[in-house]
Each structure stands twice: as structure tokens, then as C-alpha cells.
């Protein structure tokens, strides 16, 4: 095989021009040390940007071109690229420290204090893998299997039609001009007119894809999405010992500048029935303690937002937990996979989490205290940490990302008091930057719920951490003079930079797939509620030797009942799939088919033996001849005999 042909690339920056001898198969990230050698020492490597034009061209961060070769973008011998960059922020009033090279480990005083790394272990969410989790996938649009909803939205153009302007349009009814042509789904004038705060995910995807891939340039296709990555890369090709023994500009993360996320992965949360919320609130009304539940439902298209997505909640499952007045602690959820399997058979999946944060106002009129408002917080730092961890466990697969995943559709809802003293629902998501910062163990919750703390690189005993690398973190805000300024996020910064708000509501016409919700809720023994076979018998209409088959089929449409029956292990997999189909579709033909299965007959036989028996008919001799009623002693004896100890 012939060696790659060397070529010359020209670079121009605000500090001059230079040339590099490279090979067509070289990757852009391998050029970083050579480019830095020709630039001033104060350049921040994380801000390096390459463009094909000095002004108005296509600009890409050099760090976003990982895994992209020179020949892939169509560069040839003698082509010229324009380099833009920013300077590093001075630390402690002194000049910026020199950048680390490939052969020199990074041991600056503001990072590791020049001390040797001690063999201490402090693992974050998960131990770091041997290879970078951001390893790119070749042709992700061919191998990544995304959801059918995303496939349908990808096929839509998403353009917003506009009627003919009677004042400005001068053409006929079949013509079109700038005043009536359809708008793009990310058009700012439309979003401002409709009061849409965040772009939908697919609208954001169209926006960045139009800037990344331009057919007129005839360049190769590049996935427009790239997940943030704030950890030290374990697959550095420089040859130095892995971190923490060694580090270089290729593997260390760049400085983080937090900004409000302009898009959201899910736009709306729809609860199929108000009974879902009332059932969760009943626990707080009876005990005064807070409660948490996981949302099970599905994702659908949301037509109120261009190319929008909504999460439709059909059931709320309450896992084992320790509830208190000011919060709750989750315990080990042993049957989580079983509940997920029942949801899958019903065509549902886990879409989010909901919890209460309520304090009675003491006015005896049902009002509650308003804790969350614009002057305090909407989602505390601890709750953002919790939401980010759940989103990290439920990533969204997409073929538009170079890693095959991007963000998460998992939502977080809060039941808390509003300004009028009523109980209101709020829906949020943690931003993608928040998820990565939690995954990288960069931030931690604070005692003040409105701020998030940036962690120190040292452990509690003062020894440097072997698993946590803390880059510089900044955020931008509007100061008292109305100017946008950049602030250092250490030691803390507002939590508003880490969350995205969602809308919520109920359908105008109830479309819930589960038509009953009167079966006992799981894990409520602390308030005297439990799930028993007698409750199942009562629910399915089984009394003694009699069983109302039709009523039993209709009453099976209850998610909590389905989970309880799954835990009994009486029905086979096929019979359980048929039961879930009956509960979802309410089809009578499937219901009669279920009645004729052996597993359902076994279930009814067990319920007939353990269910409540009807009272026996009294004998004629037991009546008192004087007043025609049962004798008191014999009646009491029959009551005691009919009682059962449970």
C-alpha cells in the first residue's frame, strides 16, 4: 500500500500566517500541537475555530472535529484555512500559565498543586472506561436505531405555512414571495409571536444541520450533533501515561462556559387523566409526607410546537421509598424490570419522574405554601442532580450524532404550591451540560437550593483525586449596567443555567388507555393500604364460587393490578401479553379468549378460595319466635365463626 501523499495546508490568523506539512489521512485533532506552536502562548486551545472564509464562512470548533480526517472534508494541496481563537483567562492576577505540551504532564498549581498523585479512589457515577465514551461511530445514520417517532419527524419538512399578505403580496393566488413563503421551524419571529421559549429538538437539529452540511459545497456529510464531554479522554494518542500520571492538550477538557440551553428534548408533558395526580396527592393528604412516582407512558408528536414532542403519561408507579415531611429517600427497587416489562407489554415505557413538595398553609381551606417562585428557585440543586442522573441512565438514540446518542427524553415533574395557594404541576429537564457535569463529577448540590457548587479537585482529606478533573467553569450574566459579562463559576453559580422548562396539561377529551384506577397502590403500607388477593377478587368480581367473567375482563384495565398479577407468576408469558392487550385495547374478542386460557382459570380458582365468601342463609330454627329475628347469642356466634384472621 502506497504511503499517504503529503500536502501543504495554509493557515491565517489575526497574528499572522503559517504553513503545515500534513498527510491527507491525518485527523484535525492531530494538528493541534503544530497549530499551537505557531500561535501566541496565551491562546485557549478550547476556543480554536477553523473556517473556510475570513468572514461569513462555515466555522467549526477544532475540538468538534475529533475523528474527522483532512481528506474527508475535501481539502487539497495548497488550500487555506482561517484560524480564530480566544485568550486564556488570567488566574489570580498573574499571567496565564504556559500550555501543556504532548510530552509535558499538566501539573500547574491551579490544578494539582504540584503534589504527587496518591492512590486514592473516588469514583463518580460510573468508573471511567478504558476508551473514550465519545468514540465516534462510522456512518451512524446507517447503524443507529432511533424511535419510530423520530423517523416520522425526520421525514417532515417542518416548514410553517403563511397565508397571502393582502398588503404586501403583489402576485396571483398561485404565486409566492418573501412575505408569504413558509417559514423554517426555527424562525425567531414565529417563536416570538407564539411565545415559544425553547426550540424543539428537531427544529434545533434542522437549524444546525443547515449550517453544518451544505449540499452546494459538495462536501462529505458530517453528523451535526455532538454531545458535550468534560472528562479526561482515556484514549489519548500522544503516548504519555494515562491521567492522572500524565495529561496533555489533546486529552484534557476545555474550559466550560455555561449558557441557557436554546432547545429542549421534550416540549410538553400530558397527563391522560387528572386521577393520576389525585391518586399521588392522596398519599400526602393522608400522611403529610412527600411522595415520588415514576411516569409510564409514550412519546407522541406535539403539534403546538413545530416538530415538537410530548410525553403522554398513562400511569404512575410508586417504588419503595422512605417518605418524610421534607422529602423522600428511594429504597432498592427489586421489581423494576418486572414493572418495565408490564409497561412494555402495554406499549408504554418509563418517560419521567414526579414528586411532591407540599406544605399545608394551616388555613384549613386546602391551600399550601408557595415555595418555588421567581425570587427563590424552581428546581433545587439536589433535584437537578437527581434529574440529571436519571437522564444519564436513559439516553436518547439518534442517527444525527457522531456518538449515536444525544440528550435524553426523560422528564421531571414537581407538584408544589403556586402563588395562589393551590397545587400546581411544573415540568423540567436538566440540560445536556448539566448531565455531563454530573457524570464528570464536576458539580455537587448545595445547602442553598438556588445554587450549584463546583467541586474541588482535592478530596476531603486534602489528597488529590485520581478520578475527578475539574476544568475552568464560567457563566455569562447581565450585570447591573445591562452588559453581558463572564463570571467564574467557582465556588457556586445559579441553577438556572442547568435546567430547561417544559409545558404541561391535560387532554380536552380523556384518552386514557386504563379505564379504572381503584385498585390499591403499591408500597403504601405506612398508611394502612396494601395489595391483597381479596382486593383482586373484589376487583375482578369473584365472590365465593361465583365469578363475573365480563366484569373481570373490564376491570383488568388497571396498571397497578397488572403489575400485581405479574408478580404472582400465575399467567404464562403469552397469557400475560394477552391480558395486557385486553387492558390496553378493551377488545371483547381478546377478553373472551383470555377467559378460556388455563392460567386465567387457575387465577380465578385461587381467588375463589382466598376471596371473601358470601354469608350463609340462616336456618328457620335460628329465628326467635317472639320477634322473628336471630337469637343474640347464636347471631354473635355465627359472626365470630365467619370472621377470618388475616
Amino acid at each position: 500500500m502506497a504511503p499517504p501523499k503529503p500536502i501543504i495546508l495554509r493557515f491565517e490568523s489575526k497574528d499572522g500566517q503559517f504553513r503545515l506539512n500534513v498527510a491527507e489521512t491525518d485527523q484535525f485533532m492531530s494538528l493541534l500541537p503544530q497549530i499551537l506552536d505557531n500561535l501566541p502562548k496565551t491562546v485557549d486551545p478550547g476556543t480554536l475555530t477553523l473556517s473556510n472564509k475570513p468572514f461569513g464562512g462555515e466555522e467549526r470548533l477544532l475540538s468538534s472535529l475529533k475523528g474527522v480526517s483532512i481528506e474527508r472534508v475535501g481539502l487539497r494541496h495548497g488550500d487555506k484555512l482561517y484560524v480564530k481563537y480566544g485568550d486564556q483567562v488570567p488566574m489570580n492576577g498573574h499571567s496565564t500559565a504556559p500550555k501543556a505540551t504532548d510530552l509535558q504532564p499538566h501539573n500547574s498549581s491551579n490544578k494539582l498543586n504540584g503534589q504527587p498523585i496518591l492512590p486514592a479512589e473516588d469514583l463518580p457515577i460510573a468508573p471511567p472506561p478504558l476508551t473514550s465514551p465519545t468514540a465516534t461511530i462510522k456512518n451512524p445514520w446507517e447503524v443507529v436505531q432511533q424511535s419510530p417517532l423520530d423517523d416520522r419527524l425526520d421525514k417532515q419538512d417542518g416548514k410553517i405555512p403563511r397565508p397571502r399578505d393582502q398588503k404586501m403580496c403583489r402576485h396571483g393566488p398561485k404565486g409566492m414571495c418573501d412575505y408569504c413563503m413558509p417559514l423554517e421551524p426555527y424562525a425567531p419571529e414565529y417563536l416570538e409571536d407564539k411565545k415559544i421559549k425553547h426550540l424543539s429538538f428537531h427544529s434545533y437539529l434542522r437549524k444546525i444541520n443547515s449550517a453544518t452540511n451544505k449540499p452546494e459545497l459538495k462536501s462529505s456529510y458530517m453528523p451535526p450533533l455532538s454531545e458535550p464531554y468534560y472528562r479526561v479522554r482515556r484514549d489519548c494518542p500522544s503516548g504519555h501515561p494515562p491521567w492522572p500520571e500524565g495529561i496533555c492538550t489533546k486529552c484534557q477538557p476545555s474550559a466550560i462556559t455555561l449558557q441557557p440551553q436554546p432547545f429542549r428534548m421534550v416540549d410538553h408533558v400530558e397527563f391522560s387523566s387528572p386521577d393520576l395526580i389525585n391518586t399521588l396527592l392522596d398519599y400526602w393528604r393522608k400522611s403529610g409526607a412527600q411522595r415520588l412516582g415514576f411516569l409510564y407512558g409514550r412519546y407522541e408528536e406535539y403539534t403546538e410546537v413545530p416538530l415538537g414532542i410530548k410525553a403522554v403519561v398513562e400511569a404512575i408507579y410508586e417504588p419503595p421509598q422512605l417518605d418524610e415531611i421534607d422529602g423522600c429517600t428511594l429504597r432498592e427497587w427489586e421489581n423494576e424490570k418486572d414493572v418495565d416489562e408490564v409497561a412494555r407489554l402495554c406499549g408504554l415505557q418509563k418517560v419521567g419522574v414526579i414528586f411532591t413538595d407540599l406544605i399545608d398553609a394551616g388555613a384549613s381551606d386546602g391551600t399550601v405554601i408557595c415555595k418555588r417562585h421567581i425570587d427563590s428557585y424552581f428546581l433545587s440543586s439536589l433535584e437537578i442532580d437527581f434529574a440529571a442522573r436519571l437522564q444519564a441512565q436513559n439516553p436518547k438514540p439518534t442517527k444525527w450524532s457522531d456518538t449515536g446518542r444525544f440528550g435524553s427524553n426523560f422528564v421531571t415533574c414537581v407538584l408544589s404550591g403556586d402563588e395562589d395557594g393551590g397545587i400546581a404541576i411544573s415540568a423540567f429537564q436538566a440540560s445536556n451540560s448539566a448531565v455531563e457535569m454530573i457524570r464528570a463529577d464536576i458539580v455537587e448540590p448545595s445547602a442553598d437550593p438556588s445554587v450549584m457548587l463546583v467541586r474541588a479537585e482535592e478530596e476531603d482529606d486534602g489528597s488529590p483525586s485520581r478520578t475527578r478533573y475539574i476544568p475552568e467553569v464560567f457563566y455569562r450574566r447581565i450585570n447591573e449596567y445591562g452588559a453581558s459579562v463572564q463570571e467564574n463559576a467557582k465556588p457556586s453559580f445559579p441553577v438556572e443555567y442547568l435546567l430547561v422548562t417544559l409545558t404541561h396539561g391535560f387532554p380536552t377529551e380523556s384518552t386514557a388507555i386504563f379505564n379504572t384506577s381503584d385498585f390499591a397502590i403499591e408500597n403504601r403500607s405506612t398508611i394502612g393500604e396494601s395489595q391483597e388477593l381479596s382486593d383482586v377478587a373484589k376487583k375482578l368480581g369473584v365472590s365465593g364460587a361465583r365469578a363475573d367473567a365480563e366484569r373481570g375482563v373490564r376491570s383488568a384495565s388497571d396498571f397497578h393490578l397488572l403489575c400485581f398479577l405479574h408478580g404472582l407468576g400465575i399467567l404464562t408469558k403469552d397469557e400475560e401479553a394477552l391480558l395486557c392487550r385486553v387492558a390496553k385495547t378493551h377488545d371483547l374478542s381478546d377478553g373472551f379468549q383470555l377467559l378460556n386460557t388455563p392460567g386465567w382459570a387457575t387465577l380465578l380458582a385461587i381467588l375463589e378460595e382466598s376471596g371473601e365468601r358470601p354469608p350463609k342463609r340462616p336456618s328457620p330454627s335460628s329465628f326467635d319466635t317472639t320477634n322473628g329475628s336471630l337469637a343474640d347469642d347464636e347471631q354473635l356466634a355465627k359472626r365470630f365463626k365467619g370472621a377470618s384472621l388475616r
Side-chain angles (χ1 to χ4, degrees):
M1 181 177 180
K5 181 180 179 181
I7 61 174
I8 295 178
L9 291 182
R10 299 179 297 160
F11 295 85
E12 180 177 338
S13 68
K14 60 183 179 181
D15 293 300
Q17 300 183 7
F18 58 92
R19 298 186 300 175
L20 296 180
N21 295 322
V22 300
E24 293 182 345
T25 57
D26 290 346
Q27 297 184 1
F28 277 95
M29 288 300 297
S30 64
L31 305 181
L32 179 60
Q34 303 179 53
I35 296 177
L36 292 176
D37 290 340
N38 293 275
L39 297 178
K41 302 299 183 181
T42 58
V43 171
D44 185 359
T47 61
L48 279 177
T49 304
L50 299 180
S51 177
N52 57 345
K53 296 181 181 179
F55 301 100
E58 180 183 356
E59 298 183 358
R60 292 293 298 270
L61 283 172
L62 185 59
S63 59
S64 66
L65 298 176
K66 177 177 174 58
V68 180
S69 62
I70 295 176
E71 62 180 353
R72 182 177 176 182
V73 298
L75 293 178
R76 299 181 179 179
H77 180 71
D79 286 350
K80 190 174 187 180
L81 296 176
Y82 297 87
V83 185
K84 299 180 182 179
Y85 47 83
D87 296 332
Q88 292 182 349
V89 180
M91 303 298 297
N92 301 326
H94 301 284
S95 59
T96 307
K99 61 181 181 297
T101 60
D102 296 347
L103 301 178
Q104 175 187 3
H106 192 292
N107 56 1
S108 61
S109 59
N110 64 322
K111 294 299 178 186
L112 298 178
N113 297 328
Q115 301 177 2
I117 303 299
L118 301 178
E121 290 293 335
D122 179 22
L123 299 180
I125 292 181
L130 298 178
T131 59
S132 173
T134 58
T136 57
I137 300 177
K138 184 178 181 181
N139 300 337
W141 55 90
E142 296 178 356
V143 297
V144 176
Q145 183 69 29
Q146 59 183 14
S147 66
L149 175 61
D150 289 329
D151 291 334
R152 292 197 304 269
L153 292 176
D154 286 342
K155 297 177 182 179
Q156 300 180 14
D157 59 2
K159 293 186 180 296
I160 305 168
R162 290 192 296 174
R164 185 172 179 270
D165 195 321
Q166 299 297 331
K167 294 182 179 180
M168 305 302 296
C169 294
R170 299 288 185 260
H171 51 76
K174 295 184 178 181
M176 184 180 297
C177 65
D178 293 340
Y179 298 100
C180 61
M181 65 182 300
L183 296 175
E184 294 291 343
Y186 48 84
E189 58 270 22
Y190 178 82
L191 300 178
E192 182 178 0
D193 181 60
K194 298 297 183 180
K195 306 299 181 183
I196 300 176
K197 186 177 180 180
H198 300 279
L199 286 172
S200 66
F201 167 68
H202 283 270
S203 297
Y204 173 75
L205 178 60
R206 303 293 172 86
K207 181 179 180 180
I208 62 172
N209 189 44
S210 62
T212 304
N213 299 291
K214 297 181 178 180
E216 60 271 14
L217 298 179
K218 297 182 179 180
S219 59
S220 58
Y221 175 79
M222 297 175 58
L225 297 177
S226 180
E227 280 196 310
Y229 189 72
Y230 304 147
R231 289 163 283 175
V232 178
R233 300 183 183 274
R234 299 282 171 171
D235 52 354
C236 183
S238 299
H240 61 74
W243 186 81
E245 284 75 17
I247 196 172
C248 68
T249 55
K250 292 182 179 181
C251 56
Q252 76 177 62
S254 304
I256 304 171
T257 301
L258 296 175
Q259 295 180 352
Q261 185 169 285
F263 65 95
R264 53 192 178 191
M265 305 300 295
V266 176
D267 303 280
H268 184 74
V269 180
E270 180 182 291
F271 295 90
S272 60
S273 173
D275 293 337
L276 297 174
I277 304 299
N278 291 329
T279 303
L280 186 66
L281 289 176
D282 283 342
Y283 186 91
W284 172 77
R285 295 188 181 108
K286 295 177 181 179
S287 65
Q290 310 305 326
R291 194 64 172 171
L292 179 144
F294 283 94
L295 308 176
Y296 283 89
R298 61 188 180 277
Y299 297 104
E300 295 181 354
E301 183 179 355
Y302 185 52
T303 57
E304 300 298 326
V305 175
L307 300 177
I309 297 176
K310 68 178 179 180
V312 181
V313 180
E314 296 287 353
I316 299 178
Y317 189 91
E318 302 174 11
Q321 55 193 284
L322 177 61
D323 302 314
E324 300 177 4
I325 302 298
D326 58 348
C328 56
T329 303
L330 292 181
R331 294 177 173 176
E332 184 178 0
W333 188 4
E334 298 178 352
N335 65 330
E336 180 179 4
K337 294 183 179 180
D338 296 333
V339 178
D340 292 342
E341 176 63 18
V342 174
R344 186 190 65 83
L345 294 176
C346 296
L348 308 177
Q349 60 178 313
K350 193 183 299 176
V351 299
V353 67
I354 186 172
F355 55 88
T356 62
D357 184 18
L358 300 167
I359 299 178
D360 185 60
S364 301
D365 56 356
T367 58
V368 294
I369 296 177
C370 178
K371 297 173 54 179
R372 302 167 186 260
H373 49 81
I374 193 172
D375 295 325
S376 61
Y377 65 94
F378 293 102
L379 206 63
S380 68
S381 56
L382 180 61
E383 293 162 355
I384 291 178
D385 183 286
F386 177 65
R389 290 175 183 270
L390 291 177
Q391 290 179 208
Q393 296 172 7
N394 298 271
K396 175 187 179 69
T398 176
K399 62 183 182 182
W400 301 97
S401 174
D402 52 3
T403 58
R405 59 184 182 273
F406 186 80
S408 173
N409 284 354
F410 202 86
V411 301
T412 301
C413 299
V414 185
L415 289 171
S416 186
D418 58 12
E419 297 179 354
D420 299 328
I423 299 177
I425 307 174
S426 302
F428 303 93
Q429 274 191 309
S431 65
N432 291 357
S433 297
V435 174
E436 177 57 25
M437 293 180 76
I438 294 295
R439 186 186 286 116
D441 206 18
I442 296 177
V443 295
E444 62 180 345
S446 168
D448 183 356
S450 62
V451 298
M452 184 76 76
L453 296 178
V454 179
R455 300 196 62 169
E457 286 193 343
E458 293 78 14
E459 301 296 341
D460 296 337
D461 57 357
S463 60
S465 173
R466 296 180 58 88
T467 59
R468 182 171 59 247
Y469 181 90
I470 308 297
E472 298 298 329
V473 184
F474 304 95
Y475 70 95
R476 303 197 68 87
R477 68 175 184 91
I478 305 298
N479 63 6
E480 61 272 16
Y481 304 104
S484 177
V485 295
Q486 180 171 282
E487 298 283 350
N488 195 331
K490 296 182 179 179
S492 63
F493 62 93
V495 296
E496 285 77 12
Y497 291 88
L498 301 180
L499 61 88
V500 179
T501 58
L502 282 63
T503 60
H504 68 277
F506 298 90
T508 55
E509 297 181 1
S510 179
T511 57
I513 63 175
F514 301 115
N515 53 19
T516 59
S517 59
D518 53 351
F519 188 69
I521 308 300
E522 59 282 337
N523 302 313
R524 286 194 175 186
S525 58
T526 54
I527 60 174
E529 297 181 6
S530 60
Q531 296 176 333
E532 304 291 345
L533 285 176
S534 58
D535 299 328
V536 180
K538 182 179 179 181
K539 177 77 172 177
L540 299 181
V542 179
S543 179
R546 300 189 303 271
D548 190 346
E550 186 176 353
R551 175 187 172 185
V553 171
R554 293 196 308 268
S555 302
S557 183
D558 190 312
F559 185 74
H560 304 282
L561 176 61
L562 296 177
C563 294
F564 182 77
L565 295 179
H566 177 83
L568 295 178
I570 299 175
L571 303 179
T572 64
K573 292 184 178 180
D574 294 337
E575 293 170 346
E576 190 171 353
L578 179 60
L579 173 62
C580 292
R581 187 163 69 248
V582 171
K584 175 183 177 182
T585 62
H586 317 292
D587 190 352
L588 290 179
S589 60
D590 291 338
F592 286 114
Q593 181 181 354
L594 176 65
L595 295 177
N596 296 324
T597 57
W600 188 260
T602 304
L603 175 63
L604 294 181
I606 295 176
L607 295 179
E608 290 172 359
E609 292 296 328
S610 60
E612 297 182 358
R613 297 181 180 273
K616 294 183 178 180
R617 179 178 301 177
S619 59
S621 60
S622 62
F623 279 90
D624 192 340
T625 56
T626 57
N627 51 18
S629 61
L630 281 171
D632 294 340
D633 295 341
E634 188 173 357
Q635 185 177 5
L636 179 60
K638 286 182 177 293
R639 287 181 181 176
F640 184 80
K641 184 179 180 181
S644 59
L645 299 178
R646 299 186 184 277

